[in-house]
Amino acid sequence: MITATRKLEFDSGHRVMRHESKCRNVHGHRYVAEITVSAPELDECDRVVDFSEIKRLVGTWIDDNWDHGFISHSEDRYGKMLASAGELKVFFMPDDYGEPTAENMARYLAEKCDELLTKPLTVEAVRLYETPNCWADWNRR
């Protein structure tokens, strides 16, 4: 199997409400997402996908929803307070995803990529770096 991976970077704030240490405070990260896709065969240009398509589809979704915003648990009072201000971008993780941890964000982004990147592409993996030294992986298999 041949895969293609596109790296996308964005800045967001978040907090992990139930964190036992300092990450329960509001803070931000320079996230890096690596989206890996496969296809049953190469296209007419001998590639899995034009990398710009991943950027156009997934990058636009990230820009619209997560970049330069606050990613919040659906019950987080700080997220609700920011959203009520009306001028700030707040993304509430769906209830079944829980806290906006790198693990839950990677899983959510993978499922969003499945919606955005249609056949013949298959999303194989999403790696989400929260810091240069810390990341979470979602893998299809």
Side-chain angles (χ1 to χ4, degrees):
M1 170 179 27
I2 298 176
T3 62
T5 301
R6 173 70 197 224
K7 184 187 297 186
L8 302 166
E9 300 184 16
F10 61 99
D11 300 290
S12 291
H14 79 148
R15 80 179 193 115
V16 180
M17 290 188 315
R18 297 180 302 238
H19 196 281
E20 63 279 359
S21 187
K22 62 185 180 180
C23 289
R24 72 176 166 263
N25 296 311
V26 172
H27 62 284
H29 295 285
R30 174 69 173 171
Y31 289 96
V32 177
E34 295 177 351
I35 315 301
T36 301
V37 299
S38 68
E41 56 189 44
L42 299 179
D43 68 10
E44 64 281 350
C45 293
D46 291 328
R47 61 195 176 185
V48 173
V49 64
D50 182 342
F51 293 117
S52 68
E53 280 300 288
I54 298 172
K55 180 180 180 184
R56 182 178 69 80
L57 295 167
V58 180
T60 297
W61 186 90
I62 289 172
D63 287 348
D64 290 347
N65 293 278
W66 284 356
D67 187 44
H68 284 78
F70 186 76
I71 303 169
S72 181
H73 185 286
S74 63
E75 295 301 317
D76 189 338
R77 64 187 168 125
Y78 290 107
K80 290 177 180 181
M81 179 184 67
L82 290 170
S84 72
E87 298 176 18
L88 303 173
K89 183 192 307 185
V90 180
F91 180 88
F92 290 99
M93 294 292 285
D95 288 337
D96 54 333
Y97 287 87
E99 298 273 12
T101 61
E103 294 85 350
N104 284 335
M105 289 172 63
R107 180 171 61 104
Y108 186 83
L109 185 57
E111 292 175 12
K112 185 54 65 176
C113 288
D114 271 343
E115 292 175 25
L116 297 169
L117 302 170
T118 58
K119 299 284 183 200
L121 298 177
T122 299
V123 179
E124 298 293 342
V126 171
R127 172 170 280 180
L128 184 68
Y129 288 87
E130 193 171 82
T131 70
N133 300 316
C134 301
W135 65 87
D137 288 322
W138 174 92
N139 292 287
R140 182 163 301 282
R141 298 180 206 327

